[in-house]
Amino acid sequence: MHRLLKRQLKKAQLSDETLKELKPFLEQVSEAYTEFNNDFQHVENILEKSSQELFQLNQQLKNNVKSITDRLERVVNNIQEVIFESDLEGNWLYLNPAWEKLTDKKVADCIGKSYAEYFGAQDEAIAELYEHLKNKNDGVIRRVIEVDSHEKRWFEVSLRFTKIDEGVYTGCIGTIVDISKLKKIQLDLQDARDKEKLANQAKDEFLSTMSHEIRTPLNAVIGISHLLLLEDPKEEQLENLNALKYSSEHLLGLVNDILDFNKIESGSLELEDTDFSIDHILNGLQSTFGRKAEEKNIRFLIKKDDLLPNVVVGDSMRISQILTNLVNNAIKFTEQGKVVLDIEVESK
């Protein structure tokens, strides 16, 4: 008989005759007690096993969380940029170790303090960022701020809301990146551009002045040489006058080339569109380079299309410069034979 039932019967002090009469019933009760004990023990075993499994899962979860936390902490600690969290008033809630390298201040000494203790009121950019946060402007907000403590430095600060519910903002997270080297390079480049601009202005002024100072006497020399050639000079003088005329015209052409190149660089070169005689240019080329070709024992010939009109429209000075350079180079690099300038009409 089950021990619990025995204790209960003992307390009841039933007679033997009564116990004998109740024996079949008491055996069923005893059997029920025994089955209950077995079921209870089975439940206890299941609960014990489940408890152990839950404990193991909890330990595994804690280990996983610690592993992930340690991994994230290692990553954050090795990031060169400052990662921070603050409340809406700009008081630091978290700063990674990069903060100490940036400011030479301990993280522990800065937590709970305002950003203004380092950045101060030298730049209103960060204050403006926090005003954006207070006005509940979502999205990432960036500003470049300038700090002048021992030396001038520039930082790019980015902020973003942190919120626990839609419209319930708790503060912000963000980054601080030292862009001082990049900013100094930009300033140096700007300074170099300014100096280059001033140098170009000085060059333009110099060339403008020199063009007048050089071309005026050159034109006078060319004009006088033309007049002397018209006065039927002696044979021994003719060669010197032709050399003087050619050299002065060549020098004037070099001056014009330099001035034109400067205009091309500045984008201010304008082509003329006027009537001129192509024969005048060709005659000048013949008189200028015919003698030069003879000195090299070669010939210089000009072939002109019969369909070419006497008067054409264009920039005579530029065309003369182009033809002069082409013929000059051709004669310069031709050692024997001839140089032919062939001018044809492409279309009418």
Side-chain angles (χ1 to χ4, degrees):
M1 190 172 292
H2 193 273
R3 64 181 185 280
L4 181 59
L5 182 58
K6 284 181 180 181
R7 287 199 299 269
Q8 291 172 338
L9 291 173
K10 186 176 180 181
K11 288 181 180 180
Q13 296 180 352
L14 299 175
S15 64
D16 292 339
E17 291 181 1
T18 303
L19 290 174
K20 187 176 180 180
E21 291 176 1
L22 295 174
K23 183 177 180 181
F25 173 73
L26 294 175
E27 287 177 351
Q28 291 179 1
V29 173
S30 177
E31 186 179 350
Y33 271 122
T34 302
E35 289 178 358
F36 175 78
N37 283 344
N38 292 336
D39 291 342
F40 184 76
Q41 187 175 3
H42 179 65
V43 171
E44 280 188 331
N45 291 335
I46 292 175
L47 289 175
E48 177 65 23
K49 186 177 180 180
S50 298
S51 178
Q52 290 177 357
E53 290 176 353
L54 286 173
F55 177 77
Q56 291 174 355
L57 288 173
N58 186 50
Q59 286 298 116
Q60 185 179 354
L61 182 61
K62 286 182 178 179
N63 292 335
N64 290 340
V65 170
K66 187 176 185 305
S67 175
I68 294 173
T69 302
D70 291 343
R71 192 179 305 130
L72 287 175
E73 187 174 354
R74 285 195 300 271
V75 171
V76 171
N77 290 346
N78 284 282
I79 291 176
Q80 299 299 314
E81 292 76 23
V82 174
I83 299 175
F84 68 86
E85 181 180 4
S86 75
D87 59 23
L88 290 176
E89 303 302 322
N91 299 312
W92 304 123
L93 301 178
Y94 170 80
L95 290 163
N96 70 330
W99 173 258
E100 297 183 356
K101 184 178 180 181
L102 183 75
T103 64
D104 292 328
K105 294 178 180 290
K106 296 292 183 182
V107 169
D109 297 335
C110 297
I111 296 299
K113 295 181 180 179
S114 172
Y115 69 86
E117 291 197 19
Y118 175 71
F119 294 108
Q122 299 172 71
D123 200 300
E124 297 179 355
I126 291 188
E128 183 184 347
L129 289 176
Y130 280 102
E131 285 302 317
H132 275 282
L133 293 178
K134 291 178 182 179
N135 294 332
K136 299 182 179 180
N137 292 319
D138 287 322
V140 177
I141 310 167
R142 291 184 177 88
R143 292 290 185 279
V144 174
I145 66 169
E146 180 182 328
V147 176
D148 194 357
S149 51
H150 301 299
E151 60 176 338
K152 188 172 289 188
R153 301 172 73 183
W154 290 265
F155 304 104
E156 183 182 73
V157 181
S158 302
L159 296 181
R160 190 185 189 91
F161 271 124
T162 55
K163 52 186 177 181
I164 56 176
D165 200 356
E166 189 64 32
V168 181
Y169 299 95
T170 59
C172 67
I173 56 174
T175 59
I176 302 173
V177 182
D178 189 344
I179 59 169
S180 299
K181 291 183 179 179
L182 177 62
K183 192 67 177 179
K184 288 176 181 176
I185 291 173
Q186 290 177 343
L187 293 175
D188 290 341
L189 288 174
Q190 183 61 49
D191 184 54
R193 282 195 292 266
D194 292 341
K195 289 180 179 178
E196 181 185 9
K197 185 177 180 180
L198 292 174
N200 286 332
Q201 289 176 350
K203 182 185 72 174
D204 292 341
E205 292 175 2
F206 171 77
L207 289 175
S208 177
T209 302
M210 291 304 297
S211 66
H212 176 73
E213 297 295 331
I214 293 176
R215 285 194 288 189
T216 298
L218 277 177
N219 285 323
V221 171
I222 294 171
I224 293 173
S225 63
H226 272 293
L227 292 175
L228 292 175
L229 287 169
L230 293 174
E231 293 179 356
D232 193 19
K234 297 179 181 178
E235 186 176 349
E236 61 269 16
Q237 294 174 327
L238 184 62
E239 183 177 355
N240 293 332
L241 288 174
N242 282 327
L244 175 64
K245 178 176 175 294
Y246 170 76
S247 297
S248 57
E249 287 178 342
H250 181 65
L251 181 57
L252 181 61
L254 290 176
V255 172
N256 289 332
D257 287 345
I258 294 172
L259 294 173
D260 288 345
F261 180 75
N262 183 63
K263 289 181 180 179
I264 292 171
E265 274 191 326
S266 62
S268 60
L269 179 65
E270 294 182 1
L271 297 177
E272 293 183 358
D273 194 14
T274 57
D275 296 344
F276 69 94
S277 170
I278 193 70
D279 287 338
H280 178 72
I281 293 177
L282 296 180
N283 292 335
L285 290 172
Q286 185 65 62
S287 62
T288 301
F289 291 104
R291 182 172 173 276
K292 186 175 181 180
E294 291 177 1
E295 291 175 354
K296 293 190 66 175
N297 294 320
I298 61 175
R299 289 188 300 159
F300 172 55
L301 303 175
I302 297 177
K303 292 174 61 178
K304 191 180 80 167
D305 193 338
D306 292 337
L307 297 176
L308 188 69
N310 292 327
V311 177
V312 294
V313 178
D315 192 324
S316 61
M317 186 175 70
R318 310 300 174 199
I319 292 175
S320 177
Q321 286 176 328
I322 293 170
L323 294 177
T324 298
N325 289 331
L326 289 173
V327 174
N328 183 61
N329 286 333
I331 293 175
K332 180 179 179 181
F333 295 105
T334 301
E335 298 300 329
Q336 59 182 2
K338 59 185 177 181
V339 172
V340 179
L341 176 60
D342 191 353
I343 301 178
E344 297 180 356
V345 175
E346 183 175 324
S347 63
K348 291 190 68 174

